[in-house]
Amino acid sequence: MNYFPAAILVEQRASPTLRSHTGLTLRKTFRRISKVWENAATQTLERCLLYVCPIKVCRKASCQTGVLLRLRNLIPTSAKLHIVKFAIIPHLTYCQTVWHFCRASDTRKLERIQERALRSVYCDNVSSYEELLQRASLPTLYTRRLQDIAIMMFKVKNGLAPPYITDLFVVSSTHYNLRNSDFIIPRFRTVAYGKHSLSYLGPVLWSKLERSIRMSDSLEIFKKRIKQVNFNSLLDIECKDCFLCNN
């Protein structure tokens, strides 16, 4: 944010005497404020991605779900399901890899919006969330995000990803046929911003996949196989004292 126009406006409206004594002081003050603002913006960029992005996603998807809920008795079930898949879920999955490591409370909010949308599709307030997902042939949003991360790791391994994504991971140079020999799993110092990072979760997720899935011949085959993986039993990344997992 630029504060210099405000300083110039104050100088122009002040008297000549006040202008001569305070002009330089105002410019220095606004210059310091601008510098502090830039430093704060740099330090909070990652927090904005974790907190602001899920909130905006929830608002947009919740508004569309509310409209569908009001019109649920006027639209056929098949048409409502198409609306959910092509108008609501794209909002819930937009840039999902970026804010995947958000707080657990934000993750639950996103899942509740999808549950609310599916209940409006089938006009069902009794069935569980898992039963609604089976009827709609949809995965949970958490599973969908893990699928996208696994697809990204396949692209990195086979040279299909851009350099700015490839540079996040370190390819292993060992010649032994180990289970997790494709990527080096980095060590982390803090749980919140070390374990909950793409550079750590990507190699861990890739190492836990079956070899037949990791050795798929093409990206299309890999996408078909990864949809059949049960990620709930594959990963257990919740941490006891992590504020992201317990908030």
Side-chain angles (χ1 to χ4, degrees):
M1 183 178 294
N2 193 354
Y3 291 90
F4 296 115
I8 296 173
L9 181 62
V10 171
E11 286 189 61
Q12 290 177 351
R13 293 188 176 183
S15 61
T17 305
L18 180 62
R19 193 182 308 163
S20 60
H21 288 288
T22 61
L24 183 60
T25 304
L26 283 172
R27 289 181 181 275
K28 288 183 178 180
T29 302
F30 284 117
R31 192 176 290 111
R32 291 175 183 174
I33 294 175
S34 180
K35 186 176 181 179
V36 171
W37 179 270
E38 291 177 0
N39 293 335
T42 302
Q43 294 174 0
T44 58
L45 176 60
E46 185 173 357
R47 293 183 179 271
C48 288
L49 292 175
L50 292 179
Y51 304 132
V52 178
C53 290
I55 293 175
K56 290 185 177 181
V57 168
C58 289
R59 287 177 180 175
K60 292 182 179 179
S62 182
C63 291
Q64 293 186 348
T65 304
V67 174
L68 181 62
L69 190 61
R70 290 191 292 269
L71 301 176
R72 63 184 183 276
N73 295 325
L74 303 177
I75 306 175
T77 301
S78 59
K80 289 188 292 185
L81 186 59
H82 277 80
I83 292 175
V84 171
K85 289 184 177 180
F86 300 108
I88 296 177
I89 291 181
H91 283 289
L92 297 174
T93 58
Y94 180 73
C95 293
Q96 57 184 355
T97 306
V98 176
W99 48 263
H100 170 69
F101 303 97
C102 61
R103 295 180 298 181
S105 59
D106 294 330
T107 301
R108 291 192 295 268
K109 288 178 183 178
L110 295 169
E111 296 290 352
R112 283 198 294 266
I113 292 175
Q114 180 170 256
E115 178 183 358
R116 183 185 174 199
L118 292 178
R119 292 193 185 282
S120 64
V121 169
Y122 297 108
C123 298
D124 187 355
N125 295 322
V126 179
S127 301
S128 63
Y129 183 37
E130 290 73 16
E131 293 175 350
L132 293 173
L133 290 173
Q134 291 179 358
R135 292 176 63 180
S137 301
L138 291 174
T140 62
L141 298 175
Y142 175 76
T143 300
R144 192 186 295 268
R145 293 195 297 271
L146 293 180
Q147 290 175 355
D148 285 353
I149 294 176
I151 292 173
M152 182 185 63
M153 297 304 298
F154 180 85
K155 292 180 180 180
V156 172
K157 179 178 179 297
N158 293 275
L160 303 176
Y164 66 88
I165 295 295
T166 307
D167 294 341
L168 296 175
F169 310 98
V170 180
V171 180
S172 177
S173 58
T174 181
H175 299 288
Y176 296 99
N177 188 15
L178 301 177
R179 182 177 179 85
N180 56 350
S181 61
D182 294 331
F183 299 96
I184 296 178
I185 300 177
R187 297 181 179 180
F188 54 88
R189 295 182 180 179
T190 61
V191 174
Y193 297 103
K195 189 175 183 180
H196 294 281
S197 62
L198 191 60
S199 59
Y200 175 81
L201 179 60
V204 170
L205 181 61
W206 183 260
S207 65
K208 292 182 178 295
L209 295 177
E210 295 182 0
R211 182 175 176 83
S212 59
I213 299 177
R214 291 187 282 119
M215 299 302 294
S216 298
D217 296 331
S218 64
L219 181 61
E220 297 299 327
I221 297 177
F222 181 82
K223 288 181 178 180
K224 292 180 180 179
R225 293 177 177 177
I226 203 66
K227 291 181 179 179
Q228 302 175 356
V229 177
N230 184 9
F231 287 97
N232 293 327
S233 60
L234 193 66
L235 286 179
D236 184 15
I237 59 174
E238 291 188 358
C239 313
K240 181 178 179 181
D241 298 326
C242 177
F243 74 95
L244 292 177
C245 293
N246 298 294
N247 290 327

